[in-house]
């Protein structure tokens, strides 16, 4: 009798395992097909809308039926127009409180959630501003060390008039004409959930710092992690990216002697914050799926899941995925149909 029970239990466990594997293979659901853009750079959810950015144009979709509501973002320097960074830097597009904040080259432009121009502020061309409550987070440059000519990206708290105050965090990401590029770059980009700011403090290992609306550090989430060696294939693909990218290939001869590689991957690849949860994507892969740790805002782990987030190389800043309402969303190009398809996975 015991043998039968053991065999039954083993068979049931195997069946459950197979069911989980099948679910993992079919959990990505295609929810929309988009024909309006050809080379999207990122996708965002907010203000009850979906935003897809391509160059200076922002496409606005209804998340209920995925139909196009409108598009906006004329390139130029006039009021309400958007200017791209001629040096190829990213443009920050942030949905917040029924408005869209676009930090473009030399100004912060504010629109209604459907793209009606409201106002704009002149800013330093090499700074980005993100709304944080009634204030802003500014991403400028700062000296890497005292009296150093090297400059790195940093985070400052700014008031409602964009006046910078206290420095919150200084990264090791060098920028400017004398910058060295140490790949994979250590992430530090801030994410906001309600009244808290979370910063990947990558220079300290697996570390996420939490700040309140006054820029006061409240706590640090710290975890042990397994170091992962960087393979030679990553280095080869990074160099190939610099040689072939339409924009950066013209600078390859200048950059090639400044490109270096870490021995190990940084523990964190990227992070999202949404509805009281942190979604921390690691540099650990399983069958081409990236590990994602889901935590509450205090850092207590809730679950782990593997998601189809690919490796990226060089200075590629296009992110075709995001997380909203406990769903992972990803844009996939359908080359044959010349469209982009939106898939989602329940986390």
């Amino acid at each position: 009798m015991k043998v039968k029970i053991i065999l039954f239990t083993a068979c049931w466990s195997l069946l459950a395992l197979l069911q989980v594997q099948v679910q993992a293979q079919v959990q990505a659901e295609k929810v929309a097909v988009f024909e309006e853009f050809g080379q999207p750079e990122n996708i965002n959810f907010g203000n009850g809308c979906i935003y897809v950015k391509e160059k200076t144009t922002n496409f606005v979709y209804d998340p209920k039926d995925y139909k196009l509501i409108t598009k906006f973002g004329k390139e130029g320097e006039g009021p309400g127009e958007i200017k791209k960074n001629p040096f190829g830097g990213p443009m920050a597009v942030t949905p917040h409180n029924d408005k869209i904040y676009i930090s473009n080259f030399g100004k912060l432009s504010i629109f209604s959630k459907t793209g009606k121009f409201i106002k704009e502020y002149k800013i330093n061309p090499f700074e980005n501003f993100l709304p944080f409550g009634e204030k802003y987070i500014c991403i400028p440059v700062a000296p890497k060390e005292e009296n150093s000519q090297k400059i790195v990206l940093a985070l400052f708290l700014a008031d409602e008039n964009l006046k910078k105050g206290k420095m919150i965090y200084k990264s090791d990401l060098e920028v400017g004409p004398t910058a060295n590029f140490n790949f994979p770059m250590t992430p530090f980009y801030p994410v906001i959930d309600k009244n808290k700011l979370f910063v990947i403090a990558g220079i300290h290992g697996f570390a996420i710092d939490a700040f309140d609306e006054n820029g006061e550090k409240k706590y640090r989430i710290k975890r042990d992690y397994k170091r992962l060696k960087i393979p030679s294939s990553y280095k080869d693909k990074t160099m190939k990216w610099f040689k072939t990218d339409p924009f950066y290939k013209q600078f390859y001869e200048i950059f090639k002697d400044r490109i270096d590689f870490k021995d190990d991957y940084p523990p964190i690849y990227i992070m999202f914050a949404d509805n009281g949860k942190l979604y921390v994507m690691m540099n650990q892969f399983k069958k081409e799926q990236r590990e994602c740790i889901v935590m509450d805002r205090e850092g207590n782990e809730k679950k782990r899941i593997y998601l189809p987030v690919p490796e990226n190389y060089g200075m590629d800043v296009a992110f075709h995925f995001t997380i909203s309402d406990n769903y992972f969303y990803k844009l996939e190009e359908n080359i044959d149909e010349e469209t982009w398809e939106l898939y989602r996975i329940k986390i």
Side-chain angles (χ1 to χ4, degrees):
M1 184 65 180
K2 288 183 179 180
V3 173
K4 290 182 179 179
I5 293 174
I6 292 171
L7 286 173
F8 175 79
T9 304
C11 290
W12 180 259
S13 299
L14 179 59
L15 178 61
L17 178 61
L18 289 172
Q19 288 176 334
V20 169
Q21 290 175 339
V22 169
Q23 289 173 356
Q25 292 171 358
V26 301
Q27 63 181 337
E29 171 194 9
K30 184 168 73 173
V31 294
V33 177
F34 299 130
E35 301 178 348
E36 294 82 10
F37 48 81
Q39 293 180 313
E41 296 169 24
N42 58 49
I43 179 171
N44 252 323
F45 280 67
N47 300 333
C49 299
I50 303 173
Y51 299 93
V52 178
K53 185 174 78 69
E54 180 180 35
K55 298 180 180 178
T56 63
T57 303
N58 291 272
F59 297 86
V60 187
Y61 295 90
D62 187 329
K64 296 178 182 178
D65 59 12
Y66 304 100
K67 300 296 184 183
L68 181 69
I69 299 173
T70 187
K71 66 178 182 178
F72 69 97
K74 180 181 178 182
E75 185 171 1
E77 300 185 20
E81 296 178 340
I82 298 171
K83 186 177 181 181
K84 289 198 69 175
N85 186 335
F87 303 103
M91 183 187 303
V93 178
T94 309
H96 178 70
N97 285 351
D98 284 336
K99 297 183 181 69
I100 286 289
Y101 296 75
I102 302 180
S103 194
N104 52 114
F105 193 68
K107 57 185 178 179
L108 174 66
S109 306
I110 305 175
F111 300 83
S112 74
K113 70 177 186 178
T114 53
K116 182 179 179 181
F117 176 63
I118 298 174
K119 61 181 176 181
E120 63 188 22
Y121 299 93
K122 288 186 177 180
I123 61 174
N124 185 308
F126 299 101
E127 294 182 353
N128 278 330
F129 283 84
L130 313 175
F132 179 38
E134 299 300 319
K135 301 179 182 179
Y136 292 88
I137 298 299
C138 177
I139 308 177
V141 297
K144 187 172 185 177
E145 298 171 353
E146 190 175 353
N147 300 321
S148 172
Q149 293 185 346
K150 295 281 188 180
I151 54 175
V152 295
L153 291 181
L155 300 177
F156 283 75
L157 187 67
D159 65 17
E160 64 276 10
N161 297 312
L162 308 185
K163 182 179 179 181
K164 292 196 296 291
K166 65 191 299 183
M167 184 167 67
I168 294 175
Y169 180 74
K170 182 164 63 173
S171 76
D172 64 349
L173 182 55
E174 294 184 12
V175 293
T178 62
N180 291 313
F181 305 102
N182 190 225
F183 292 101
M185 292 185 176
T186 306
F188 84 103
Y189 202 78
V191 297
I192 296 167
D193 185 52
K194 299 176 183 176
N195 62 342
K196 273 201 172 64
L197 170 75
F198 296 91
V199 179
I200 301 173
I203 58 177
H204 301 290
F206 189 117
I208 301 169
D209 290 340
F211 298 86
D212 65 16
E213 291 178 299
N214 296 315
E216 296 293 331
K217 181 178 168 180
K218 307 306 291 184
Y219 55 87
R220 169 172 287 178
I221 299 170
K222 195 86 167 127
R223 297 176 69 97
D224 294 330
Y225 65 97
K226 181 182 178 182
R227 292 185 179 274
L228 298 173
K229 292 293 182 183
I230 295 172
S232 59
S233 59
Y234 174 88
K235 301 176 184 179
D236 294 339
K237 290 176 181 178
T238 298
M239 299 306 291
K240 181 179 179 181
W241 186 92
F242 275 100
K243 292 177 182 178
T244 58
D245 178 77
F247 179 79
Y248 279 94
K249 66 182 181 181
Q250 62 185 314
F251 304 113
Y252 176 72
E253 291 300 321
I254 300 173
F255 285 161
K256 66 179 183 180
D257 294 330
R258 299 185 192 174
I259 298 172
D260 196 7
F261 295 93
K262 296 178 172 66
D263 293 327
D264 304 312
Y265 281 102
I268 298 175
Y269 172 68
I270 197 173
M271 177 175 66
F272 294 90
D274 185 63
N275 286 336
K277 293 180 182 178
L278 300 178
Y279 300 84
V280 184
M281 297 193 181
M282 310 290 285
N283 280 304
Q284 178 73 50
F285 283 86
K286 181 187 291 184
K287 295 182 179 179
E288 300 183 352
Q289 305 272 302
R290 187 183 294 272
E291 183 181 38
C292 176
I293 303 176
V294 184
M295 303 186 291
D296 63 23
R297 300 204 309 174
E298 285 68 45
N300 300 304
E301 183 175 331
K302 297 302 180 181
K303 69 182 299 184
R304 296 193 182 209
I305 187 171
Y306 284 81
L307 297 170
V309 177
E311 184 74 273
N312 73 326
Y313 304 97
M315 307 292 283
D316 186 3
V317 293
F319 286 97
H320 295 147
F321 57 90
T322 190
I323 289 176
S324 177
D325 291 330
N326 213 36
Y327 277 93
F328 171 82
Y329 290 87
K330 186 181 181 186
L331 288 168
E332 292 276 4
E333 185 176 14
N334 186 324
I335 297 175
D336 294 335
E337 298 295 330
E338 297 184 345
T339 59
W340 283 80
E341 299 170 344
L342 182 64
Y343 291 82
R344 73 176 184 178
I345 296 172
K346 177 72 172 177
I347 297 177

